[in-house]
Amino acid sequence: MNQSSMRKKSLAEYRAVIFDLDGTLYYQKPFRIRMLFYLFGHMLRHPSAIGDMLLIKRYREVREKWEDYERTMSFPADMPLEDRQYEFIAAQKKVTVSRVADAVRFYMHEAPLALLPYYKDAMLSDAIEKLRRKNVSVVIYSDYPVEEKLRALGIEADWHFTSSDKKINCMKPDPKGLQVILATLGLQAEDVIMVGDRYEKHGLAAIGNRMDYLIVSSSKKEREKLTDILT
């Protein structure tokens, strides 16, 4: 079921709309299934990649509960978020930091690009184009790098931010990221809405800033019920 807290009737009534990327601008469940087939084939051709797959699995687990894991280690205050996570996993798995970074770069940031267009949410993509034509600022805010994914999806935005940005350096639902975005755009929370696919990440980040939010379903059929809200 969709959870939403909107004080306006449609996205076009806000001055800016902040979209999550993964699971929001494309359908993540069928994409992940397709990626599993790709990875399985890749491992058959390159058996040594099994070790990298285990690193990626752990990387995903750690990022989901990073706040809990981070408390168990001491990092320099100015150390980038991704470097902290790479170092944490490298220490756990007894591998080099560069091996973790290389595995993440290839399997999570590069390999998926060719498949993403097949799972794009065309309705949200169309909504983004309409919002920009109406002079509503479109912002992409993700816990992962966004530029190459947006290019693969054929989506243009006015602004984009990631959790690894120096001024943010934390993951959702920490409200700091949205605070940085509001300050950068020079807008108040009531002028902006957060659109994402996870209440526990995107909804709570918005609530932490007293910002409106819209949580979209993973189901295409359910998302199509939002047509009037998106335009």
Side-chain angles (χ1 to χ4, degrees), residues 129-142:
E129 291 182 9
K130 290 178 179 177
L131 288 170
R132 297 185 73 213
R133 287 199 295 268
K134 294 178 180 179
N135 295 318
V136 177
S137 293
V138 170
V139 181
I140 308 299
Y141 172 36
S142 175

PDB file of all heavy atoms in Angstrom, residues 129-142:
ATOM      1  N   GLU A 129       9.572  15.159 -17.018  1.00  0.00           N
ATOM      2  CA  GLU A 129       9.638  16.084 -18.151  1.00  0.00           C
ATOM      3  C   GLU A 129       8.579  17.172 -18.034  1.00  0.00           C
ATOM      4  O   GLU A 129       8.838  18.355 -18.298  1.00  0.00           O
ATOM      5  CB  GLU A 129       9.456  15.309 -19.455  1.00  0.00           C
ATOM      6  CG  GLU A 129      10.617  14.389 -19.792  1.00  0.00           C
ATOM      7  CD  GLU A 129      10.407  13.674 -21.115  1.00  0.00           C
ATOM      8  OE1 GLU A 129       9.444  14.033 -21.836  1.00  0.00           O
ATOM      9  OE2 GLU A 129      11.199  12.768 -21.429  1.00  0.00           O
ATOM     10  N   LYS A 130       7.364  16.788 -17.644  1.00  0.00           N
ATOM     11  CA  LYS A 130       6.275  17.757 -17.512  1.00  0.00           C
ATOM     12  C   LYS A 130       6.556  18.752 -16.390  1.00  0.00           C
ATOM     13  O   LYS A 130       6.278  19.943 -16.519  1.00  0.00           O
ATOM     14  CB  LYS A 130       4.960  17.025 -17.259  1.00  0.00           C
ATOM     15  CG  LYS A 130       4.443  16.254 -18.462  1.00  0.00           C
ATOM     16  CD  LYS A 130       3.153  15.513 -18.137  1.00  0.00           C
ATOM     17  CE  LYS A 130       2.636  14.772 -19.365  1.00  0.00           C
ATOM     18  NZ  LYS A 130       1.404  13.985 -19.057  1.00  0.00           N
ATOM     19  N   LEU A 131       7.096  18.258 -15.276  1.00  0.00           N
ATOM     20  CA  LEU A 131       7.413  19.143 -14.156  1.00  0.00           C
ATOM     21  C   LEU A 131       8.440  20.190 -14.566  1.00  0.00           C
ATOM     22  O   LEU A 131       8.298  21.375 -14.241  1.00  0.00           O
ATOM     23  CB  LEU A 131       7.944  18.325 -12.975  1.00  0.00           C
ATOM     24  CG  LEU A 131       6.919  17.469 -12.226  1.00  0.00           C
ATOM     25  CD1 LEU A 131       7.618  16.526 -11.257  1.00  0.00           C
ATOM     26  CD2 LEU A 131       5.922  18.345 -11.481  1.00  0.00           C
ATOM     27  N   ARG A 132       9.454  19.773 -15.297  1.00  0.00           N
ATOM     28  CA  ARG A 132      10.496  20.711 -15.719  1.00  0.00           C
ATOM     29  C   ARG A 132       9.938  21.752 -16.690  1.00  0.00           C
ATOM     30  O   ARG A 132      10.337  22.921 -16.657  1.00  0.00           O
ATOM     31  CB  ARG A 132      11.673  19.953 -16.348  1.00  0.00           C
ATOM     32  CG  ARG A 132      12.360  19.009 -15.364  1.00  0.00           C
ATOM     33  CD  ARG A 132      13.584  18.375 -15.970  1.00  0.00           C
ATOM     34  NE  ARG A 132      14.676  19.342 -16.074  1.00  0.00           N
ATOM     35  CZ  ARG A 132      15.581  19.349 -17.042  1.00  0.00           C
ATOM     36  NH1 ARG A 132      15.505  18.454 -18.031  1.00  0.00           N
ATOM     37  NH2 ARG A 132      16.537  20.244 -17.062  1.00  0.00           N
ATOM     38  N   ARG A 133       9.004  21.331 -17.537  1.00  0.00           N
ATOM     39  CA  ARG A 133       8.376  22.297 -18.462  1.00  0.00           C
ATOM     40  C   ARG A 133       7.533  23.319 -17.705  1.00  0.00           C
ATOM     41  O   ARG A 133       7.345  24.448 -18.180  1.00  0.00           O
ATOM     42  CB  ARG A 133       7.514  21.568 -19.489  1.00  0.00           C
ATOM     43  CG  ARG A 133       8.315  20.824 -20.553  1.00  0.00           C
ATOM     44  CD  ARG A 133       7.480  20.517 -21.781  1.00  0.00           C
ATOM     45  NE  ARG A 133       6.405  19.592 -21.496  1.00  0.00           N
ATOM     46  CZ  ARG A 133       6.499  18.268 -21.626  1.00  0.00           C
ATOM     47  NH1 ARG A 133       7.645  17.721 -22.024  1.00  0.00           N
ATOM     48  NH2 ARG A 133       5.472  17.494 -21.368  1.00  0.00           N
ATOM     49  N   LYS A 134       7.040  22.935 -16.536  1.00  0.00           N
ATOM     50  CA  LYS A 134       6.243  23.836 -15.706  1.00  0.00           C
ATOM     51  C   LYS A 134       7.117  24.609 -14.713  1.00  0.00           C
ATOM     52  O   LYS A 134       6.601  25.244 -13.794  1.00  0.00           O
ATOM     53  CB  LYS A 134       5.180  23.043 -14.952  1.00  0.00           C
ATOM     54  CG  LYS A 134       4.123  22.424 -15.859  1.00  0.00           C
ATOM     55  CD  LYS A 134       3.108  21.610 -15.057  1.00  0.00           C
ATOM     56  CE  LYS A 134       2.054  21.007 -15.979  1.00  0.00           C
ATOM     57  NZ  LYS A 134       1.050  20.184 -15.240  1.00  0.00           N
ATOM     58  N   ASN A 135       8.424  24.542 -14.916  1.00  0.00           N
ATOM     59  CA  ASN A 135       9.392  25.247 -14.061  1.00  0.00           C
ATOM     60  C   ASN A 135       9.400  24.761 -12.624  1.00  0.00           C
ATOM     61  O   ASN A 135       9.699  25.531 -11.691  1.00  0.00           O
ATOM     62  CB  ASN A 135       9.140  26.763 -14.106  1.00  0.00           C
ATOM     63  CG  ASN A 135       9.397  27.343 -15.488  1.00  0.00           C
ATOM     64  OD1 ASN A 135      10.374  26.988 -16.148  1.00  0.00           O
ATOM     65  ND2 ASN A 135       8.499  28.207 -15.936  1.00  0.00           N
ATOM     66  N   VAL A 136       9.059  23.507 -12.426  1.00  0.00           N
ATOM     67  CA  VAL A 136       9.220  22.867 -11.128  1.00  0.00           C
ATOM     68  C   VAL A 136      10.596  22.203 -11.131  1.00  0.00           C
ATOM     69  O   VAL A 136      10.893  21.402 -12.021  1.00  0.00           O
ATOM     70  CB  VAL A 136       8.121  21.809 -10.873  1.00  0.00           C
ATOM     71  CG1 VAL A 136       8.362  21.100  -9.542  1.00  0.00           C
ATOM     72  CG2 VAL A 136       6.742  22.453 -10.905  1.00  0.00           C
ATOM     73  N   SER A 137      11.430  22.538 -10.176  1.00  0.00           N
ATOM     74  CA  SER A 137      12.780  21.967 -10.138  1.00  0.00           C
ATOM     75  C   SER A 137      12.722  20.475  -9.814  1.00  0.00           C
ATOM     76  O   SER A 137      12.035  20.060  -8.877  1.00  0.00           O
ATOM     77  CB  SER A 137      13.637  22.675  -9.083  1.00  0.00           C
ATOM     78  OG  SER A 137      13.877  24.014  -9.457  1.00  0.00           O
ATOM     79  N   VAL A 138      13.432  19.684 -10.598  1.00  0.00           N
ATOM     80  CA  VAL A 138      13.497  18.235 -10.383  1.00  0.00           C
ATOM     81  C   VAL A 138      14.870  17.892  -9.810  1.00  0.00           C
ATOM     82  O   VAL A 138      15.903  18.232 -10.393  1.00  0.00           O
ATOM     83  CB  VAL A 138      13.251  17.468 -11.685  1.00  0.00           C
ATOM     84  CG1 VAL A 138      13.574  15.983 -11.504  1.00  0.00           C
ATOM     85  CG2 VAL A 138      11.803  17.648 -12.135  1.00  0.00           C
ATOM     86  N   VAL A 139      14.842  17.227  -8.666  1.00  0.00           N
ATOM     87  CA  VAL A 139      16.060  16.863  -7.955  1.00  0.00           C
ATOM     88  C   VAL A 139      16.118  15.344  -7.821  1.00  0.00           C
ATOM     89  O   VAL A 139      15.114  14.710  -7.513  1.00  0.00           O
ATOM     90  CB  VAL A 139      16.087  17.490  -6.540  1.00  0.00           C
ATOM     91  CG1 VAL A 139      17.378  17.125  -5.812  1.00  0.00           C
ATOM     92  CG2 VAL A 139      15.906  18.992  -6.614  1.00  0.00           C
ATOM     93  N   ILE A 140      17.282  14.762  -8.067  1.00  0.00           N
ATOM     94  CA  ILE A 140      17.487  13.342  -7.822  1.00  0.00           C
ATOM     95  C   ILE A 140      18.400  13.210  -6.602  1.00  0.00           C
ATOM     96  O   ILE A 140      19.463  13.830  -6.548  1.00  0.00           O
ATOM     97  CB  ILE A 140      18.141  12.633  -9.022  1.00  0.00           C
ATOM     98  CG1 ILE A 140      17.375  12.934 -10.318  1.00  0.00           C
ATOM     99  CG2 ILE A 140      18.216  11.127  -8.759  1.00  0.00           C
ATOM    100  CD1 ILE A 140      15.940  12.475 -10.337  1.00  0.00           C
ATOM    101  N   TYR A 141      17.965  12.414  -5.632  1.00  0.00           N
ATOM    102  CA  TYR A 141      18.750  12.220  -4.411  1.00  0.00           C
ATOM    103  C   TYR A 141      18.810  10.727  -4.112  1.00  0.00           C
ATOM    104  O   TYR A 141      17.789  10.112  -3.812  1.00  0.00           O
ATOM    105  CB  TYR A 141      18.116  12.983  -3.249  1.00  0.00           C
ATOM    106  CG  TYR A 141      18.720  12.714  -1.898  1.00  0.00           C
ATOM    107  CD1 TYR A 141      20.090  12.487  -1.737  1.00  0.00           C
ATOM    108  CD2 TYR A 141      17.921  12.700  -0.754  1.00  0.00           C
ATOM    109  CE1 TYR A 141      20.636  12.256  -0.490  1.00  0.00           C
ATOM    110  CE2 TYR A 141      18.460  12.467   0.500  1.00  0.00           C
ATOM    111  CZ  TYR A 141      19.821  12.247   0.633  1.00  0.00           C
ATOM    112  OH  TYR A 141      20.362  12.002   1.868  1.00  0.00           O
ATOM    113  N   SER A 142      19.999  10.160  -4.208  1.00  0.00           N
ATOM    114  CA  SER A 142      20.165   8.715  -4.063  1.00  0.00           C
ATOM    115  C   SER A 142      21.295   8.385  -3.107  1.00  0.00           C
ATOM    116  O   SER A 142      22.204   9.195  -2.887  1.00  0.00           O
ATOM    117  CB  SER A 142      20.455   8.080  -5.436  1.00  0.00           C
ATOM    118  OG  SER A 142      20.742   6.706  -5.314  1.00  0.00           O
TER     119      SER A 142
END
